[in-house]
Amino acid sequence: MRAVITVIGKDMVGILAGVSNICVERKVNIIEVTQSIMQDMFAMIMMVDISGSDVPFATLRDDLTKFGEKNALSVHIMHEDIFNSMHRV
Amino acid sequence: MLNTQDILETIHMIQDENLDIRTITMGISLLDCADSDIDKACDKIYDKICRYAGNLVKTGEDIEAEYGIPIINKRISVTPVAMVAAACPDKNPVKFAHALDRAAKQVGVNFLGGYSALVHKGFGPGDYALIESIPQALAETERVCSSVNVGSTKAGINMDAVAKMGHIVRQCAEMTADNNCFGAAKLVIFCNAPEDNPFMAGAFHGVGEPDCVVNVGVSGPGVVRSALAKAPDANITEVADIVKRTAFKITRMGQLVAQEASHRLCVPFGIVDLSLAPTPAVGDSVAHILEEMGLESCGAHGTTACLALLNDAVKKGGVMASSHVGGLSGAFIPVSEDAGMIDAARCGALSLTKLEAMTAVCSVGLDMIAVPGDTPAEIISAILADEAAIGMVNSKTTAIRLIPAIGKQQGEEMEFGGLFGSSPIMDVNRYSPAKFISRGGRIPAPLQSLKN
């Protein structure tokens, strides 16, 4: 199953590394990353494959949320199908 | 790769604009639970609900976690209990309400609808006893909701039932007077009740439905409002287009969740109900959408036109997004559950007469409205008759959910709490309809041609 991780917040050193680390430690494969910085605001979108993940989805979500809280970032992970169904006819 | 803008839009809708799936409702047929021994029938009902809906709440929570979309309520609707109760005519049907309440608590749903009777053309066996027992059933149980259908476009309006229901609404409020008259908030009286409505308190599982089915109700008034806020100078054609596009997106999410829930529960997918269901939370109000269209306050002249546009555009946008649409589908206007409606009623901009006009174009009717505690039963019946007439003539669902605020007067407030919100007590017209209501009989079904 593929999921989308979004990270939004104030730009700082180590955001991409931090999120990537969480993914690697849990055997989550990163497929694609886009990021942009608009007036100090950092927005990163990461497409990941979690079929090989060794933790349940809920644990992965909680770990990402914790990382977000620690760094004052808004971090979400959602099933890819939500976006596909909403934005593609 | 998905478009960045699209992804951020979805996240924004959920995080900041209160987009959610309002309810996953499992409809369960109880027709095979009828038994001349009421205790046996109750056991069968309890067992069947626990067997079918045992995983409902967990499945809802799993989907919520995995897809990252809030699913606020997991609920159950059942066959109108009057049909099951007809097999044991001399017993008090309240036992069924207790069995349903126990089952609801066991499986963990917050409401279960279907303590209902369909009497639009007359009372069948079981109907009268069930209606008489509604106040006791709603006072003694916590999660059971009740509804009665008193009219339809094809059958006309059963005025005997209308007269009876005025008293029942009052009794529901009186028996729960120490609990904010909450009994009355769990009772909906319909004309043209839909058989696949997933929303409480009026949900029941119609007789034309399969044994078990999953229906989903979406929500998202906040999303529509903020989409309109981005186009302050749009003309009305463009406004309708924005609402359609937004409703499409909201409904796609409902369709996805409905299909996933249906698949995981191994239960057929019924319908998606395309409703804009408000909550008292800031930013989740249908009234604020109407105000965004350019009204100083909901209730101003022009409100009915704005609501008609909104209701129609929501349906047009949603219909293409889902394979099966049903239920109540449209914009809800429950006064106590909508922050904008509460404010409009408090400042006097929104009156009961304007709300009645709005119900001619919205999805349901006079919903969650507190009226003075001394409102006589015949006035409640007459309000119901008016609402039913609007639904009957316009071939649409209408309903009332009025709460007589026992011991309180116009200008005071009722506090229900949670999703039910709070409501100022609204005044009713005190001229008496008693003679009209006491006549009984039926209003004949209306002509379906010569529409003027």
Side-chain angles (χ1 to χ4, degrees):
Chain A
M1 145 183 163
R2 301 211 302 184
V4 176
I5 299 173
T6 55
V7 184
I8 303 165
K10 204 167 159 40
D11 192 21
M12 55 185 241
V13 175
I15 299 179
L16 178 57
V19 177
S20 307
N21 261 335
I22 292 176
C23 292
V24 171
E25 283 164 15
R26 289 151 190 80
K27 299 200 169 51
V28 170
N29 186 26
I30 298 168
I31 300 169
E32 200 171 332
V33 182
T34 59
Q35 62 172 59
S36 56
I37 295 164
M38 290 173 279
Q39 300 168 340
D40 255 14
M41 286 303 282
F42 175 88
M44 178 174 81
I45 293 167
M46 201 179 245
M47 176 75 81
V48 295
D49 185 345
I50 57 171
S51 346
S53 168
D54 55 9
V55 294
F57 186 84
T59 314
L60 179 61
R61 186 196 55 199
D62 293 346
D63 292 345
L64 286 165
T65 311
K66 260 184 234 149
F67 172 80
E69 280 165 7
K70 211 164 68 188
N71 297 289
L73 297 163
S74 160
V75 184
H76 299 283
I77 179 165
M78 287 167 78
H79 199 297
E80 178 199 28
D81 283 353
I82 283 276
F83 306 101
N84 283 335
S85 69
M86 195 183 254
H87 298 287
R88 286 184 188 168
V89 180
Chain B
M1 181 72 178
L2 286 150
N3 180 317
T4 310
Q5 244 13 54
D6 290 345
I7 291 178
L8 294 179
E9 183 191 9
T10 304
I11 302 273
H12 188 57
M13 281 181 182
I14 295 170
Q15 294 303 313
D16 307 325
E17 297 168 357
N18 296 313
L19 175 59
D20 55 49
I21 300 295
R22 186 50 50 84
T23 180
I24 296 182
T25 304
M26 179 183 269
I28 302 173
S29 170
L30 300 183
L31 288 173
D32 54 349
C33 300
D35 198 299
S36 53
D37 179 339
I38 191 167
D39 294 318
K40 273 191 195 159
C42 286
D43 288 346
K44 285 190 208 172
I45 288 173
Y46 178 85
D47 291 344
K48 183 166 185 183
I49 292 173
C50 292
R51 197 165 66 242
Y52 280 44
N55 279 329
L56 175 64
V57 172
K58 166 135 196 347
T59 305
E61 285 167 356
D62 286 351
I63 296 174
E64 179 172 6
E66 213 165 288
Y67 285 82
I69 168 89
I71 300 172
I72 309 298
N73 297 303
K74 295 90 188 171
R75 292 169 169 174
I76 294 172
S77 63
V78 297
T79 306
V81 168
M83 293 179 186
V84 185
C88 31
D90 50 349
K91 296 288 193 311
N92 184 350
V94 163
K95 276 197 169 179
F96 288 110
H98 286 288
L100 293 171
D101 203 39
R102 278 200 311 277
K105 284 175 180 157
Q106 175 62 30
V107 301
V109 295
N110 60 355
F111 281 112
L112 182 152
Y115 197 74
S116 307
L118 311 177
V119 295
H120 36 280
K121 215 163 181 181
F123 299 95
D127 289 340
Y128 204 79
L130 182 117
I131 289 175
E132 291 236 287
S133 75
I134 288 173
Q136 189 193 350
L138 296 184
E140 291 179 2
T141 61
E142 188 191 334
R143 305 187 186 190
V144 174
C145 294
S146 176
S147 56
V148 175
N149 192 54
V150 297
S152 78
T153 301
K154 291 234 164 103
I157 299 171
N158 178 353
M159 289 301 292
D160 294 320
V162 168
K164 181 79 191 158
M165 290 317 294
H167 293 280
I168 298 293
V169 170
R170 274 204 65 83
Q171 283 170 26
C172 284
E174 281 161 4
M175 289 180 73
T176 50
D178 54 349
N179 182 24
N180 281 318
C181 308
F182 197 61
K186 294 187 286 182
L187 170 64
V188 182
I189 310 158
F190 279 108
C191 175
N192 288 324
E195 299 204 329
D196 50 8
N197 161 29
F199 285 101
M200 296 297 163
F204 65 87
H205 185 71
V207 282
E209 296 283 311
D211 187 39
C212 187
V213 73
V214 166
N215 298 321
V216 164
V218 299
S219 181
V223 182
V224 176
R225 189 210 178 181
S226 73
L228 289 179
K230 286 176 199 139
D233 301 318
N235 71 27
I236 291 297
T237 308
E238 290 159 349
V239 165
D241 264 350
I242 292 169
V243 175
K244 274 198 292 189
R245 272 202 297 273
T246 314
F248 177 84
K249 290 177 184 172
I250 295 171
T251 311
R252 290 287 281 187
M253 191 131 76
Q255 169 81 9
L256 175 72
V257 168
Q259 277 175 333
E260 193 59 31
S262 151
H263 172 69
R264 292 187 188 195
L265 290 163
C266 299
V267 167
F269 156 57
I271 54 99
V272 174
D273 187 318
L274 316 170
S275 285
L276 291 183
T279 68
V282 176
D284 209 13
S285 155
V286 168
H288 288 155
I289 301 176
L290 305 177
E291 289 165 8
E292 194 65 55
M293 287 185 192
L295 303 171
E296 184 184 357
S297 168
C298 174
H301 291 295
T303 302
T304 312
C306 289
L307 185 59
L309 178 158
L310 174 67
N311 204 43
D312 183 62
V314 164
K315 289 179 200 171
K316 284 175 178 161
V319 159
M320 194 186 150
S322 170
S323 44
H324 297 284
V325 172
L328 296 166
S329 288
F332 290 174
I333 51 167
V335 174
S336 79
E337 298 173 3
D338 185 309
M341 296 271 173
I342 296 169
D343 291 343
R346 267 191 201 135
C347 74
L350 182 63
S351 65
L352 199 56
T353 44
K354 189 64 187 176
L355 278 162
E356 185 181 314
M358 290 160 74
T359 64
V361 298
C362 81
S363 76
V364 198
L366 295 174
D367 195 10
M368 288 303 284
I369 296 171
V371 294
D374 61 354
T375 308
E378 63 268 16
I379 289 188
I380 295 171
S381 291
I383 294 172
L384 169 60
D386 283 344
E387 256 329 278
I390 290 171
M392 174 183 76
V393 169
N394 293 304
S395 305
K396 74 182 287 295
T397 304
T398 48
I400 67 162
R401 181 159 53 144
L402 297 184
I403 297 110
I406 304 300
K408 293 193 177 179
Q409 279 308 320
Q410 187 210 348
E412 293 182 64
E413 294 258 339
M414 286 292 275
E415 281 286 342
F416 303 110
L419 280 178
F420 292 92
S422 64
S423 169
I425 294 165
M426 301 181 83
D427 201 16
V428 297
N429 186 322
R430 295 281 175 168
Y431 289 96
S432 175
K435 178 74 199 295
F436 163 59
I437 294 300
S438 69
R439 282 175 186 269
R442 273 160 52 201
I443 296 183
L447 206 59
Q448 293 301 309
S449 60
L450 305 174
K451 290 264 186 191
N452 296 306

